[in-house]
Amino acid sequence: MIVTKSVSRFARNIVDCIKIERDLKKMNPAVGVFFETENIFTLDEDCEVMLSIMAMMAQEESHTKSEIMNASIEMRFRRGIFLTPSLLGYDQDENCDLVINEDEAKIVRLIFYMYLDGYTCQEIADTITEFGQSTKRGNTVWSPGSILQILQNERHCGDILARKTWTPSYLDHKSRKNNKDRNQYRKRNDHDAIISRDDFIAVQRLISNAKYGNKGFLPELRVVQEGVLKGYVTINPRWAGFKMEDYYEACDSVGTTESQISTQSSDVEAQSGDFDLRGYEIARAQFFDTPKLTVTFSAHEIKFSSVAIHKFTDCQYIELLLHPRKRVFAVRQTNADNRNHMQWARVHNGVLIPREISGAAFLPTLYKLLGWDENRKYRMVGRLCGKDTGAILLFDLGDVETLIPSDAVAADNTDSGMTPVMGSPKEVLAYPETWADTFGNNYYVQAQADEFARLADGESWNPNAEGKPYKESDLNPTGTEERRGNIASLLNHMKREADHGS
């Protein structure tokens, strides 16, 4: 027998209450539950109806209390009254306000400085454990998880962000990350900061991109400012912090706004003595059954065709660039020392073969910028411009085929904006509807492409011009020399403490 004060103390979920009661009753020997307040014994034959009613009342009471508690918390947050849990680096005064604990603050500063300097959470945890430093709860063994929690806590820079998690159901009480499901409240400069806000923001950016293999410190968006690729923005394959607006802003910073591009695209007429090719079209390569210079985009990776990789001589690494206004994608040769290098080929039996390029960090932004569907693949035919080390590949992102999952194409209808032409069991290949009545682009429109026009001008070609930051960084984190000096000073201090303690 289990003796319980009341049903509400046994369970406040009617499903759990009845299930547990039945499971106990099935045991051999059967286990009964006696509820003192309601005078119910579960081994009695007629108890379950009454138990269900009382459990339902207990559940509703729990629901009511949950609603009252949530309303109370919401009112407190609106008034700027926040919960102040125990936090490394701080103590609480008589008014429950956070005040810096200097002994603990040294540990917090070391953690932030080391992470900014390229140390992993595991390396930081091992270092602090080695010197015998204690957590807020007195534990001397640190874990990577505890380091990450400290790095992500905005209170260390003097701010408070309330309601980072919420509980969707009062029945299971499981908390979830608050992804704009409930109101959040931020209060800046609520208390003294241990680290600067710029250091904190820099750390958050590094954390969010660590999963993409980024090891650099706060990459800058770079734009080519001269030559044939003027206005093209270099793509960082291991940084997800750039937004669609950043690409446009970088491109426009060198005078390639949408209005200027449209002004440059004037009509081209046949010159005296030339053939008049008005009305003629340059047939699209997609309509020819021959190996093509292509690239295929999916939501997570990019892959070039064998024809594409053999346009460059013995080249395993490339740099990708995008002109967001012209909707043109450029590829140029580079090496593994380039911070933005990507490996598009590998050697197999002495021959270069295509290799998938992971794009999880930057492709979601490009898909959004181009208005593409994340559930589809996109393929386009490119062209080679220049030769030798000055060669580049250009792909028109507005002239694409798409591969649509077969289950997304209705059997009796075509996909909006695209015309399916052939397919496989898994995917249907579709062309834009604008291709339906043409074989390709107007001859003079194709001939006036800005990149080709510059090809004849050796001085302005310069396809290897380096990208430069288009603006100064919006952050001013602790400099490398100062940061490393602080790390050395804090580690020496902890070593002396450890030696003194032993």
Side-chain angles (χ1 to χ4, degrees):
M1 178 186 290
I2 298 173
V3 180
T4 308
K5 179 66 178 176
S6 66
V7 173
S8 63
R9 291 293 177 264
F10 185 75
R12 296 199 178 192
N13 182 329
I14 185 172
V15 175
D16 290 345
C17 183
I18 300 301
K19 180 180 183 303
I20 295 172
E21 175 265 331
R22 288 176 177 175
D23 289 343
L24 291 171
K25 189 182 292 186
K26 291 177 182 178
M27 296 177 71
N28 187 17
V31 177
V33 182
F34 178 68
F35 301 98
E36 290 184 319
T37 302
E38 295 83 6
N39 195 28
I40 297 175
F41 184 49
T42 59
L43 294 184
D44 293 343
E45 292 183 358
D46 57 351
C47 79
E48 193 162 291
V49 174
M50 183 59 66
L51 179 60
S52 298
I53 294 174
M54 301 308 297
M56 182 176 62
M57 293 175 63
Q59 177 175 302
E60 186 57 30
E61 180 184 359
S62 176
H63 185 199
T64 302
K65 287 183 177 180
S66 176
E67 291 293 323
I68 293 173
M69 181 64 70
N70 285 333
S72 174
I73 292 174
E74 181 73 17
M75 290 176 65
R76 288 169 59 90
F77 287 166
R78 287 181 179 179
R79 293 176 183 175
I81 303 173
F82 303 104
L83 304 175
T84 53
S86 179
L87 179 66
L88 184 73
Y90 290 99
D91 294 326
Q92 295 183 25
D93 61 16
E94 61 276 6
N95 297 319
C96 292
D97 294 326
L98 294 177
V99 292
I100 294 178
N101 179 324
E102 283 298 337
D103 290 335
E104 295 178 355
K106 293 175 183 177
I107 303 175
V108 174
R109 293 188 186 101
L110 178 63
I111 290 172
F112 274 87
Y113 289 147
M114 290 183 72
Y115 195 83
L116 286 172
D117 208 49
Y119 290 83
T120 66
C121 289
Q122 183 65 63
E123 290 171 337
I124 297 172
D126 292 342
T127 300
I128 299 178
T129 300
E130 180 183 350
F131 289 109
Q133 299 297 314
S134 299
T135 66
K136 193 67 175 179
R137 296 182 178 179
N139 189 356
T140 57
V141 178
W142 294 71
S143 67
S146 62
I147 298 297
L148 185 61
Q149 286 181 345
I150 292 172
L151 291 170
Q152 293 179 317
N153 197 316
E154 76 290 338
R155 297 191 183 226
H156 290 122
C157 72
D159 295 348
I160 291 181
L161 178 63
R163 194 176 277 151
K164 287 183 279 190
T165 61
W166 69 296
T167 304
S169 173
Y170 70 95
L171 296 176
D172 59 18
H173 302 288
K174 293 182 179 179
S175 63
R176 302 283 190 275
K177 184 177 180 180
N178 186 1
N179 294 315
K180 299 183 180 180
D181 301 292
R182 291 291 185 273
N183 292 332
Q184 285 188 316
Y185 298 87
R186 178 181 289 276
K187 185 177 181 182
R188 292 180 178 272
N189 303 316
D190 175 77
H191 51 273
D192 293 335
I194 295 176
I195 54 100
S196 70
R197 183 175 285 106
D198 281 1
D199 280 351
F200 178 78
I201 296 174
V203 165
Q204 305 320 300
R205 292 183 182 180
L206 291 173
I207 290 173
S208 65
N209 287 275
K211 60 184 177 182
Y212 303 119
N214 179 68
K215 296 181 180 179
F217 180 65
L218 299 179
E220 301 163 310
L221 200 60
R222 294 172 172 262
V223 60
V224 179
Q225 300 181 2
E226 59 184 356
V228 68
L229 296 178
K230 179 180 179 180
Y232 280 75
V233 183
T234 60
I235 296 175
N236 188 311
R238 288 165 285 277
W239 189 262
F242 301 126
K243 306 301 180 186
M244 179 175 68
E245 296 76 13
D246 296 328
Y247 283 91
Y248 282 120
E249 188 177 344
C251 177
D252 295 345
S253 69
V254 295
T256 52
T257 62
E258 189 172 8
S259 60
Q260 290 171 317
I261 291 173
S262 60
T263 301
Q264 295 169 359
S265 301
S266 56
D267 293 334
V268 175
E269 299 179 356
Q271 300 297 316
S272 176
D274 291 342
F275 286 108
D276 186 352
L277 296 176
R278 285 176 292 181
Y280 284 82
E281 296 174 343
I282 297 179
R284 292 186 175 88
Q286 290 91 336
F287 296 154
F288 296 90
D289 189 18
T290 57
K292 302 177 181 68
L293 192 165
T294 63
V295 61
T296 303
F297 287 79
S298 69
H300 301 291
E301 64 184 23
I302 302 173
K303 188 173 183 179
F304 291 85
S305 65
S306 296
V307 174
I309 65 172
H310 290 132
K311 291 297 181 181
F312 295 156
T313 304
D314 296 328
C315 174
Q316 294 189 51
Y317 301 98
I318 58 169
E319 183 178 29
L320 304 184
L321 304 96
L322 171 71
H323 199 300
R325 295 296 184 190
K326 295 180 180 180
R327 293 293 200 270
V328 177
F329 181 66
V331 180
R332 63 184 180 185
Q333 305 171 68
T334 189
N335 53 55
D337 295 331
N338 186 325
R339 71 183 73 188
N340 293 334
H341 78 272
M342 303 182 196
Q343 187 176 1
W344 75 335
R346 60 185 178 87
V347 179
H348 179 69
N349 294 331
V351 180
L352 283 179
I353 61 174
R355 177 183 181 273
E356 292 84 0
I357 299 174
S358 175
F362 64 90
L363 279 175
T365 300
L366 295 190
Y367 261 64
K368 183 178 179 180
L369 187 152
L370 298 167
W372 287 351
D373 186 339
E374 292 183 355
N375 297 315
R376 300 180 184 178
K377 295 179 181 179
Y378 294 87
R379 184 172 66 194
M380 61 217 69
V381 176
R383 56 187 183 267
L384 176 69
C385 298
K387 60 183 179 179
D388 301 328
T389 58
I392 57 175
L393 303 180
L394 296 176
F395 298 87
D396 185 352
L397 297 174
D399 210 15
V400 301
E401 307 164 289
T402 184
L403 296 167
I404 308 172
S406 298
D407 56 7
V409 181
D412 59 348
N413 196 11
T414 59
D415 186 75
S416 177
M418 309 297 289
T419 303
V421 294
M422 63 183 69
S424 67
K426 293 183 178 181
E427 296 174 322
V428 171
L429 174 64
Y431 294 148
E433 285 185 339
T434 54
W435 292 14
D437 301 319
T438 65
F439 287 100
N441 292 325
N442 176 280
Y443 174 82
Y444 291 111
V445 171
Q446 185 86 3
Q448 74 169 356
D450 189 42
E451 285 74 17
F452 284 111
R454 294 184 188 178
L455 183 59
D457 185 355
E459 293 184 2
S460 64
W461 178 243
N462 192 15
N464 296 316
E466 291 291 329
K468 298 179 181 178
Y470 76 99
K471 68 176 182 180
E472 294 184 1
S473 175
D474 57 344
L475 293 180
N476 186 28
T478 304
T480 302
E481 187 174 334
E482 180 183 355
R483 185 172 64 245
R484 291 179 178 174
N486 289 334
I487 292 173
S489 176
L490 290 168
L491 288 176
N492 287 334
H493 177 78
M494 291 181 183
K495 185 178 185 303
R496 288 196 301 270
E497 285 187 340
D499 293 340
H500 181 72
S502 60

